[in-house]
């Protein structure tokens, strides 16, 4: 009967290191606010450049009720537009991905060039001023091939810091010379924040992700020191030494590896390169590379294939894993309070040939299984959050600190909004 | 976040010759108002008489949450009732079309005669007064076979003017001696007003309707004079002369042909008979008649088959095309803010035999294709209207004046409602 | 346009012996209130004990947005818990029915024992107090094998009276020694109160339930005395005598048979044992027993199989029929204003062998057909209630008094709620 949900009150009373109160996961009002405050006013990971490699290539990305058209122009630049005609408002590009010359509305033929300028509109009479009817633009930035967009008029400025730092980490994996080997879209039956929270801890991995955990150390994602016996304490020390040695080796190959954590920034992010266990080449079920042709300048002769896994997490909607032979990248987009789209893209060297250099099933199976397993956990968490028996429960200080970072960032962004922060405000519509 | 949508304000600030603001297409509140003010207080095209040709024939029509039962009585009159039992409220007739004696409720057997009078109700005791439990009636009028209904207690009185005028145009096509050759129900994924706006212009036809445009002149539906070169100016003049000559010939055959436009009336409508190109007999892909047996008194010997196409458009929910050999008639009924039912009915001479006098596919293909193409355009327009990037855009003064007429009529009807016009008011329920 | 539905006003103005106003059947607001006031604060029939016969057997029951986990412990007791983990709120048991040791959350392995106590939670650190994170409990009571649950902190106390009375009626049918022969779940497209109202009268039976009415007297469920002719008056007298004789015989066998009516109590119920017609053994299409092995101590030699049908109806959500050879039991659970789950369970002697002692189709067909027929009537009633043409109509004083009892009880419970009755209040959440 909570007809007059006071979101600001819920925001103000949120307790640290506890999961959020139920309406944050279940209410349409909160989702509307999330879309306005979080998704329309922050940098959102939208796509990778290999999804639109050539001039004229065009993709569409749906963020809440906004469809964004991304188009690579003849100058190789990627531009973003609101995907809606300025005449009678028809959606311009209906396909997820296509190749076009100009942007032509199917309804009455209004035509826009690659800068979004209206260049043709029949029957409008001689007093009609085409220049008043150009497409509305959207901010677009690429970090070494990862495309971020922002729907705000003035996007958060600290994107530059993330871009500068992350370009160094990502560049060696050379996204420009990759291709999309596979892309999946999975709809999780849960709130987008449950999807993110699930991603920000591996406490649940051991019991749920048999494929994912093969090349991961159980100590890579936190543990309670109180629960270590002598033998496991030795394992922890050995793993710490292993990281130290690998970081030195990787840095020598030109691969930044140290952890960078900026999870409280407006454009919050974190990165880290961690070793892989066993054969230690890639994140696959046999831990060997899935693609013979390595990425960028990597080679068995020079760098070797054992380059660990570089992970990159961003608020509010992405994570990415970069190995020596392939990249897996994830974007999360809310569909409704209880439904969330997870788009996963696998990239390999653009010269690699399927069936010869890589087997698609072997390349994709770790995350295909893991995504499905996570979707099931998110579904259970959503079902629980919808019950009155649900109460916020405690996060583990050892295995769930990044869940807390995400929740704290989210709450802070809403507080900023309610405080009227001019940099992140809801557009008056 | 527009929780307190002020529809009256939106109505008041609507700019002429611009598409409506987004909430008119997307909001449940507006649809509720549309159903009350427009659909429950105006004359709605519901069916054609050949759908219930014999006494006892009964059809049901759903307008928003109102189900209307139309029944042809033993006296051949068609009566309309709210399709709900006066006992425990069960829907009486569940089928779209059936033949009955009395109206018997399946639940407990309460029985009403063809005047809607309760004539049987068991176990109610001797003090029960059956006469207090008759069915609630609905106004029904037929214009030469086109059935209109009105749910208001006092329907708009200017229906009489439309009826008087239009009976002359339609009567020669003799609906009483036709039969339903085919009926289709298509759900368009858009607001009912987008369906209407789409119908009120042919600016979009050339790029989208290859079948429909075969027998249509490109000048029949408006053009910008500024964009005519010399050759096309000659074509325009030739087409105007063609109309003049045909109108004279048709009037001589007893077929009123001149344009009548009453689009600002409460019961707004427009009609016009236009020539068909090429063979010019009918609206088919080869432009020849689809049915050998012509309608009414038409014959190759007397009137000839080249009788053009008489079109009849009504606010808020119908259009109709009458040719020498067949009639196509359309009713539009809102299902939700983003879903609309379009019911299309094809009529031919009741003595025509399928496979002999007409081929069903040839008869129906123009509008089956055109409806589907329009549905796709309406879907794109709805998708666009749902995006915050949508803004009302300009109508062409040359090709979209009737879109403006419809939008202006709609806005005027809402203004009347807000002004408390007694003739068109929302029933207190 | 009823944006500000005043439920309390609707409750106050309800007229006796008339169906409820439309919002009671159609509004989400009313359903939310029903779930809070009726379903969370009264005793709800949830299951029968044979659904979880052994220690470790566990079933889940969904009441509105509450999932309840029912678990039979090693001590044979059945306990109820909110089915949601105290850590991150995942739903604990996802299956409808399963067998478990402890209750283990799949997400992060938190483990609860059969008393709902948290006994394992890794990585939480040494300051974490497990005893603060036990499962939240739900009240559970069994009447001779029928399991009722209550979500309120203080359940209605008058359950004890119903339990004491009904245990005597039900015990001879010995549910403990039955098994579930079949269970069906049917979703009716109507409000839960229409499902109940439909169940509380047999005025509709003659015209709609050919299978159900075979062994029922037309006089068993009310009739208008004004409509009896002389022959039928004799039939009525004969039927009354028949009941009297049978009651005497059954009481002598230890079977309480007299009608008990407590339909105005907070825990409202009614029971009665009635004769069956023709062969008169059981409620089947041939009126003979469907299962050769009779229930409890019944036998052809001692009690005979002609033990009539004991019916038991409870507010707000169940009815049950007990014959000499089988039991059919029904629970009704709202899913949305217009959708309701009806779960039907058929019980037979646990030693009976399918195909030998009973034929499943013969056992289930009366109620499989009847449920489907009722679902169709409820659908029509819902469709009617959703129309503005619907108005509350009169109940028959002869055939619909128990519909009135249900409606009056429902209205009274809401009045109690609005009056702030401490025994039945909405939990502050």
């Amino acid at each position: 009967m909570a007809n007059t949900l006071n979101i600001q009150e819920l925001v103000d009373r949120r307790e640290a290191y506890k999961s959020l109160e139920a309406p944050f996961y279940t209410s349409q009002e909160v989702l509307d606010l999330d879309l306005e405050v979080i998704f329309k006013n922050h940098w959102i990971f939208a796509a990778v450049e290999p999804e639109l490699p050539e001039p004229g290539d065009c993709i569409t990305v749906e963020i809440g009720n906004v469809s964004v058209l991304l188009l690579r122009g003849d100058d190789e630049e990627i531009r973003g537009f609101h995907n809606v005609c300025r005449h009678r408002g028809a959606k311009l590009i209906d396909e997820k991905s296509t190749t076009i010359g100009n942007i032509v509305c199917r309804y009455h033929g209004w035509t826009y060039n690659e800068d979004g300028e209206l260049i043709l509109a029949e029957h409008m009479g001689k007093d009609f001023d085409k220049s008043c009817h150009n497409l509305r633009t959207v901010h677009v930035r690429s970090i070494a091939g990862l495309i971020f967009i922002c729907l705000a008029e003035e996007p958060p400025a600290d994107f530059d810091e993330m871009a500068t730092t992350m370009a160094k980490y990502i560049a060696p994996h050379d996204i420009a010379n990759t291709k999309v080997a596979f892309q999946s879209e999975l709809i999780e039956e849960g709130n987008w924040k449950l999807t993110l929270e699930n991603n920000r801890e591996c406490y649940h991995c051991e019991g749920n992700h048999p494929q994912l955990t093969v090349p991961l150390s159980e100590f890579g994602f936190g543990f309670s020191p109180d629960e270590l016996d002598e033998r496991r304490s030795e394992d922890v020390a050995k793993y710490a030494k292993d990281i130290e040695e690998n970081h030195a080796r990787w840095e020598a190959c030109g691969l930044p590896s140290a952890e960078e954590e900026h999870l409280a920034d407006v454009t919050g992010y974190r990165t880290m390169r961690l070793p892989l266990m066993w054969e230690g080449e890639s994140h696959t079920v046999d831990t060997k590379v899935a693609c013979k042709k390595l990425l960028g300048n990597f080679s068995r002769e020079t760098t070797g294939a054992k380059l660990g896994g570089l992970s990159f997490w961003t608020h509010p909607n992405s994570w990415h894993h970069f190995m020596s032979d392939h990249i897996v990248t994830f974007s999360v987009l809310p569909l409704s309070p209880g439904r969330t789209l997870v788009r996963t893209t696998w990239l390999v060297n653009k010269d690699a040939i399927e069936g010869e250099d890589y087997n698609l099933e072997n390349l994709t199976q770790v995350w295909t299984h893991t995504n499905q397993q996570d979707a099931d956990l998110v579904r259970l968490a959503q079902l629980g959050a919808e019950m009155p028996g649900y109460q916020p429960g405690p996060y583990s200080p050892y295995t769930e600190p990044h869940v807390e970072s995400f929740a704290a960032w989210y709450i802070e962004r809403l507080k900023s909004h309610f405080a009227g922060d001019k940099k992140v405000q809801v557009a008056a519509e």
Side-chain angles (χ1 to χ4, degrees), chain A residues 194-232:
Chain A
L194 291 175
T195 301
L196 264 288
E197 289 167 17
N198 174 274
N199 173 255
R200 298 296 145 99
E201 47 93 358
C202 222
Y203 183 3
H204 71 274
C205 293
E206 197 189 341
N208 290 282
H209 296 319
Q211 294 83 9
L212 181 76
T213 50
V214 171
L216 298 183
S217 161
E218 64 168 307
F219 303 112
F221 300 91
F223 52 88
S224 169
D226 315 317
E227 292 165 22
L228 293 179
D229 58 18
E230 199 173 327
R231 193 185 55 75
R232 284 163 53 87

Short mmCIF file of all heavy atoms in Angstrom, two decimals, chain A residues 194-232:
data_model
loop_
_atom_site.label_atom_id
_atom_site.label_comp_id
_atom_site.label_asym_id
_atom_site.label_seq_id
_atom_site.Cartn_x
_atom_site.Cartn_y
_atom_site.Cartn_z
N LEU A 194 20.54 -5.62 -9.13
CA LEU A 194 20.86 -6.99 -8.70
C LEU A 194 21.87 -7.62 -9.67
O LEU A 194 22.74 -8.39 -9.25
CB LEU A 194 19.58 -7.83 -8.62
CG LEU A 194 18.63 -7.44 -7.48
CD1 LEU A 194 17.34 -8.24 -7.57
CD2 LEU A 194 19.28 -7.63 -6.12
N THR A 195 21.74 -7.30 -10.95
CA THR A 195 22.72 -7.78 -11.92
C THR A 195 24.10 -7.22 -11.61
O THR A 195 25.10 -7.95 -11.63
CB THR A 195 22.29 -7.36 -13.35
OG1 THR A 195 21.00 -7.91 -13.62
CG2 THR A 195 23.27 -7.82 -14.39
N LEU A 196 24.15 -5.94 -11.30
CA LEU A 196 25.44 -5.32 -10.97
C LEU A 196 26.01 -5.87 -9.68
O LEU A 196 27.20 -6.22 -9.59
CB LEU A 196 25.27 -3.80 -10.87
CG LEU A 196 25.62 -2.99 -12.11
CD1 LEU A 196 27.14 -2.96 -12.33
CD2 LEU A 196 24.94 -3.52 -13.37
N GLU A 197 25.17 -5.98 -8.64
CA GLU A 197 25.64 -6.49 -7.36
C GLU A 197 26.17 -7.91 -7.52
O GLU A 197 27.20 -8.26 -6.94
CB GLU A 197 24.49 -6.47 -6.34
CG GLU A 197 24.13 -5.05 -5.91
CD GLU A 197 22.81 -4.97 -5.15
OE1 GLU A 197 22.34 -6.02 -4.68
OE2 GLU A 197 22.26 -3.87 -5.05
N ASN A 198 25.47 -8.68 -8.32
CA ASN A 198 25.93 -10.04 -8.58
C ASN A 198 27.30 -10.04 -9.23
O ASN A 198 28.16 -10.86 -8.93
CB ASN A 198 24.92 -10.74 -9.48
CG ASN A 198 25.37 -12.12 -9.93
OD1 ASN A 198 26.09 -12.24 -10.92
ND2 ASN A 198 25.00 -13.16 -9.21
N ASN A 199 27.52 -9.06 -10.10
CA ASN A 199 28.81 -8.98 -10.80
C ASN A 199 29.94 -8.52 -9.90
O ASN A 199 31.11 -8.79 -10.17
CB ASN A 199 28.70 -8.03 -11.99
CG ASN A 199 30.04 -7.77 -12.65
OD1 ASN A 199 30.62 -6.69 -12.47
ND2 ASN A 199 30.56 -8.76 -13.37
N ARG A 200 29.61 -7.81 -8.83
CA ARG A 200 30.65 -7.17 -8.05
C ARG A 200 31.18 -8.04 -6.90
O ARG A 200 31.84 -7.52 -5.99
CB ARG A 200 30.16 -5.80 -7.54
CG ARG A 200 29.83 -4.83 -8.69
CD ARG A 200 31.05 -4.46 -9.52
NE ARG A 200 30.79 -4.27 -10.94
CZ ARG A 200 30.61 -3.11 -11.56
NH1 ARG A 200 30.64 -1.99 -10.89
NH2 ARG A 200 30.42 -3.06 -12.86
N GLU A 201 30.87 -9.32 -6.91
CA GLU A 201 31.44 -10.23 -5.91
C GLU A 201 31.54 -11.62 -6.51
O GLU A 201 30.81 -11.97 -7.43
CB GLU A 201 30.60 -10.25 -4.62
CG GLU A 201 29.11 -10.40 -4.80
CD GLU A 201 28.60 -11.83 -4.73
OE1 GLU A 201 29.41 -12.78 -4.58
OE2 GLU A 201 27.38 -12.00 -4.85
N CYS A 202 32.50 -12.39 -5.95
CA CYS A 202 32.63 -13.78 -6.38
C CYS A 202 32.40 -14.75 -5.21
O CYS A 202 32.74 -15.91 -5.28
CB CYS A 202 34.00 -14.01 -7.02
SG CYS A 202 33.93 -15.04 -8.53
N TYR A 203 31.77 -14.20 -4.16
CA TYR A 203 31.37 -15.02 -3.00
C TYR A 203 30.48 -16.16 -3.49
O TYR A 203 30.52 -17.29 -2.99
CB TYR A 203 30.62 -14.08 -2.05
CG TYR A 203 30.13 -14.57 -0.71
CD1 TYR A 203 30.36 -15.85 -0.23
CD2 TYR A 203 29.42 -13.69 0.12
CE1 TYR A 203 29.89 -16.24 1.02
CE2 TYR A 203 28.95 -14.08 1.37
CZ TYR A 203 29.17 -15.36 1.81
OH TYR A 203 28.70 -15.75 3.04
N HIS A 204 29.67 -15.87 -4.52
CA HIS A 204 28.72 -16.87 -5.01
C HIS A 204 29.34 -17.80 -6.05
O HIS A 204 28.69 -18.73 -6.52
CB HIS A 204 27.50 -16.17 -5.63
CG HIS A 204 27.79 -15.48 -6.94
ND1 HIS A 204 28.28 -14.20 -7.01
CD2 HIS A 204 27.70 -15.91 -8.22
CE1 HIS A 204 28.44 -13.86 -8.29
NE2 HIS A 204 28.11 -14.88 -9.04
N CYS A 205 30.60 -17.54 -6.46
CA CYS A 205 31.14 -18.27 -7.62
C CYS A 205 31.36 -19.75 -7.34
O CYS A 205 30.99 -20.61 -8.15
CB CYS A 205 32.46 -17.63 -8.07
SG CYS A 205 32.21 -15.96 -8.77
N GLU A 206 31.96 -20.02 -6.21
CA GLU A 206 32.32 -21.41 -5.94
C GLU A 206 31.11 -22.34 -6.02
O GLU A 206 31.19 -23.42 -6.61
CB GLU A 206 32.98 -21.51 -4.55
CG GLU A 206 33.75 -22.81 -4.36
CD GLU A 206 34.21 -22.98 -2.92
OE1 GLU A 206 34.26 -21.95 -2.20
OE2 GLU A 206 34.49 -24.13 -2.51
N GLY A 207 29.99 -21.90 -5.46
CA GLY A 207 28.81 -22.77 -5.43
C GLY A 207 28.00 -22.76 -6.72
O GLY A 207 27.09 -23.57 -6.88
N ASN A 208 28.29 -21.82 -7.63
CA ASN A 208 27.40 -21.65 -8.77
C ASN A 208 28.05 -21.66 -10.15
O ASN A 208 27.35 -21.80 -11.14
CB ASN A 208 26.63 -20.33 -8.61
CG ASN A 208 25.62 -20.37 -7.48
OD1 ASN A 208 24.55 -20.94 -7.64
ND2 ASN A 208 25.98 -19.82 -6.33
N HIS A 209 29.36 -21.41 -10.22
CA HIS A 209 29.99 -21.23 -11.52
C HIS A 209 31.13 -22.23 -11.77
O HIS A 209 32.31 -21.85 -11.76
CB HIS A 209 30.57 -19.80 -11.63
CG HIS A 209 29.55 -18.70 -11.59
ND1 HIS A 209 28.34 -18.77 -12.24
CD2 HIS A 209 29.58 -17.48 -11.00
CE1 HIS A 209 27.67 -17.63 -12.02
NE2 HIS A 209 28.39 -16.84 -11.28
N PRO A 210 30.80 -23.48 -12.02
CA PRO A 210 31.88 -24.47 -12.22
C PRO A 210 32.81 -24.11 -13.39
O PRO A 210 34.02 -24.37 -13.31
CB PRO A 210 31.12 -25.78 -12.48
CG PRO A 210 29.71 -25.38 -12.78
CD PRO A 210 29.47 -24.08 -12.08
N GLN A 211 32.28 -23.53 -14.46
CA GLN A 211 33.13 -23.19 -15.61
C GLN A 211 34.00 -21.96 -15.31
O GLN A 211 35.20 -21.95 -15.57
CB GLN A 211 32.29 -22.92 -16.86
CG GLN A 211 31.53 -24.12 -17.40
CD GLN A 211 30.21 -24.36 -16.66
OE1 GLN A 211 29.77 -23.54 -15.85
NE2 GLN A 211 29.58 -25.49 -16.92
N LEU A 212 33.39 -20.95 -14.75
CA LEU A 212 34.10 -19.69 -14.53
C LEU A 212 35.27 -19.86 -13.58
O LEU A 212 36.33 -19.23 -13.74
CB LEU A 212 33.13 -18.64 -13.94
CG LEU A 212 33.73 -17.25 -13.67
CD1 LEU A 212 33.89 -16.50 -14.98
CD2 LEU A 212 32.86 -16.46 -12.71
N THR A 213 35.09 -20.69 -12.57
CA THR A 213 36.08 -20.75 -11.51
C THR A 213 37.31 -21.59 -11.85
O THR A 213 38.30 -21.55 -11.12
CB THR A 213 35.45 -21.30 -10.21
OG1 THR A 213 34.74 -22.51 -10.52
CG2 THR A 213 34.48 -20.30 -9.61
N VAL A 214 37.28 -22.30 -12.97
CA VAL A 214 38.43 -23.17 -13.30
C VAL A 214 39.75 -22.41 -13.21
O VAL A 214 40.64 -22.81 -12.46
CB VAL A 214 38.26 -23.84 -14.68
CG1 VAL A 214 39.54 -24.55 -15.11
CG2 VAL A 214 37.09 -24.82 -14.66
N PRO A 215 39.91 -21.27 -13.92
CA PRO A 215 41.22 -20.62 -13.86
C PRO A 215 41.32 -19.52 -12.82
O PRO A 215 42.26 -18.73 -12.86
CB PRO A 215 41.35 -20.02 -15.28
CG PRO A 215 39.94 -19.74 -15.69
CD PRO A 215 39.03 -20.63 -14.92
N LEU A 216 40.36 -19.46 -11.88
CA LEU A 216 40.41 -18.40 -10.88
C LEU A 216 40.91 -18.94 -9.55
O LEU A 216 40.55 -20.05 -9.14
CB LEU A 216 39.01 -17.80 -10.66
CG LEU A 216 38.35 -17.12 -11.86
CD1 LEU A 216 37.00 -16.53 -11.44
CD2 LEU A 216 39.25 -16.04 -12.45
N SER A 217 41.70 -18.16 -8.87
CA SER A 217 42.11 -18.53 -7.51
C SER A 217 40.97 -18.22 -6.57
O SER A 217 40.31 -17.19 -6.70
CB SER A 217 43.33 -17.71 -7.09
OG SER A 217 43.45 -17.76 -5.67
N GLU A 218 40.75 -19.08 -5.61
CA GLU A 218 39.67 -18.81 -4.66
C GLU A 218 40.01 -17.60 -3.80
O GLU A 218 39.13 -17.05 -3.13
CB GLU A 218 39.40 -20.03 -3.76
CG GLU A 218 40.55 -20.41 -2.87
CD GLU A 218 40.15 -21.43 -1.79
OE1 GLU A 218 39.18 -21.18 -1.06
OE2 GLU A 218 40.82 -22.46 -1.69
N PHE A 219 41.28 -17.16 -3.85
CA PHE A 219 41.65 -16.02 -3.02
C PHE A 219 41.62 -14.69 -3.78
O PHE A 219 41.92 -13.63 -3.25
CB PHE A 219 43.03 -16.23 -2.40
CG PHE A 219 43.11 -17.50 -1.61
CD1 PHE A 219 43.88 -18.58 -2.04
CD2 PHE A 219 42.35 -17.64 -0.45
CE1 PHE A 219 43.92 -19.75 -1.32
CE2 PHE A 219 42.40 -18.82 0.28
CZ PHE A 219 43.18 -19.88 -0.16
N GLY A 220 41.29 -14.77 -5.06
CA GLY A 220 41.32 -13.56 -5.88
C GLY A 220 40.18 -12.61 -5.59
O GLY A 220 40.22 -11.44 -6.04
N PHE A 221 39.17 -13.06 -4.89
CA PHE A 221 37.98 -12.21 -4.74
C PHE A 221 37.54 -12.07 -3.29
O PHE A 221 36.38 -11.88 -3.00
CB PHE A 221 36.85 -12.74 -5.62
CG PHE A 221 37.24 -12.75 -7.06
CD1 PHE A 221 37.84 -13.87 -7.64
CD2 PHE A 221 37.09 -11.62 -7.84
CE1 PHE A 221 38.23 -13.87 -8.97
CE2 PHE A 221 37.49 -11.60 -9.17
CZ PHE A 221 38.07 -12.73 -9.74
N GLY A 222 38.54 -12.20 -2.35
CA GLY A 222 38.23 -11.93 -0.96
C GLY A 222 37.94 -13.19 -0.17
O GLY A 222 37.52 -14.21 -0.72
N PHE A 223 38.23 -13.12 1.11
CA PHE A 223 37.99 -14.25 2.01
C PHE A 223 38.07 -13.72 3.44
O PHE A 223 38.67 -12.67 3.68
CB PHE A 223 39.03 -15.35 1.79
CG PHE A 223 40.43 -14.82 1.86
CD1 PHE A 223 41.12 -14.75 3.07
CD2 PHE A 223 41.06 -14.35 0.69
CE1 PHE A 223 42.41 -14.23 3.12
CE2 PHE A 223 42.35 -13.84 0.76
CZ PHE A 223 43.03 -13.77 1.96
N SER A 224 37.47 -14.45 4.37
CA SER A 224 37.55 -14.06 5.77
C SER A 224 38.83 -14.61 6.37
O SER A 224 39.05 -15.82 6.37
CB SER A 224 36.35 -14.61 6.52
OG SER A 224 36.54 -14.46 7.90
N PRO A 225 39.71 -13.75 6.90
CA PRO A 225 40.97 -14.25 7.47
C PRO A 225 40.72 -15.17 8.66
O PRO A 225 41.52 -16.07 8.94
CB PRO A 225 41.71 -12.98 7.88
CG PRO A 225 40.67 -11.90 7.93
CD PRO A 225 39.59 -12.29 7.00
N ASP A 226 39.59 -14.99 9.32
CA ASP A 226 39.29 -15.83 10.50
C ASP A 226 39.08 -17.29 10.14
O ASP A 226 39.15 -18.16 10.97
CB ASP A 226 38.01 -15.34 11.20
CG ASP A 226 38.00 -13.83 11.34
OD1 ASP A 226 39.05 -13.28 11.69
OD2 ASP A 226 36.95 -13.23 11.06
N GLU A 227 38.73 -17.52 8.88
CA GLU A 227 38.37 -18.89 8.50
C GLU A 227 39.53 -19.64 7.85
O GLU A 227 39.35 -20.71 7.28
CB GLU A 227 37.14 -18.84 7.57
CG GLU A 227 35.90 -18.36 8.31
CD GLU A 227 34.75 -17.96 7.39
OE1 GLU A 227 34.73 -18.41 6.23
OE2 GLU A 227 33.89 -17.18 7.84
N LEU A 228 40.74 -19.05 7.87
CA LEU A 228 41.91 -19.71 7.25
C LEU A 228 42.58 -20.65 8.24
O LEU A 228 42.92 -20.24 9.35
CB LEU A 228 42.93 -18.66 6.80
CG LEU A 228 42.51 -17.71 5.66
CD1 LEU A 228 43.64 -16.73 5.39
CD2 LEU A 228 42.15 -18.50 4.41
N ASP A 229 42.83 -21.87 7.84
CA ASP A 229 43.68 -22.72 8.66
C ASP A 229 45.13 -22.54 8.19
O ASP A 229 45.41 -21.74 7.29
CB ASP A 229 43.23 -24.18 8.60
CG ASP A 229 43.25 -24.72 7.18
OD1 ASP A 229 43.92 -24.10 6.30
OD2 ASP A 229 42.59 -25.73 6.91
N GLU A 230 46.04 -23.26 8.73
CA GLU A 230 47.45 -23.03 8.45
C GLU A 230 47.77 -23.28 6.96
O GLU A 230 48.42 -22.48 6.30
CB GLU A 230 48.30 -23.94 9.32
CG GLU A 230 49.74 -23.46 9.44
CD GLU A 230 50.51 -24.31 10.45
OE1 GLU A 230 49.89 -24.77 11.43
OE2 GLU A 230 51.71 -24.52 10.23
N ARG A 231 47.23 -24.38 6.45
CA ARG A 231 47.54 -24.73 5.07
C ARG A 231 47.03 -23.66 4.10
O ARG A 231 47.72 -23.26 3.18
CB ARG A 231 46.92 -26.08 4.71
CG ARG A 231 47.44 -26.66 3.39
CD ARG A 231 46.69 -27.94 3.01
NE ARG A 231 45.25 -27.76 2.95
CZ ARG A 231 44.60 -27.13 1.96
NH1 ARG A 231 45.27 -26.58 0.95
NH2 ARG A 231 43.29 -27.02 1.99
N ARG A 232 45.80 -23.16 4.37
CA ARG A 232 45.22 -22.14 3.49
C ARG A 232 45.93 -20.80 3.66
O ARG A 232 46.06 -20.05 2.69
CB ARG A 232 43.72 -22.01 3.75
CG ARG A 232 42.93 -23.18 3.12
CD ARG A 232 41.53 -23.33 3.68
NE ARG A 232 40.77 -22.11 3.63
CZ ARG A 232 40.04 -21.71 2.56
NH1 ARG A 232 40.00 -22.47 1.49
NH2 ARG A 232 39.39 -20.57 2.60
#
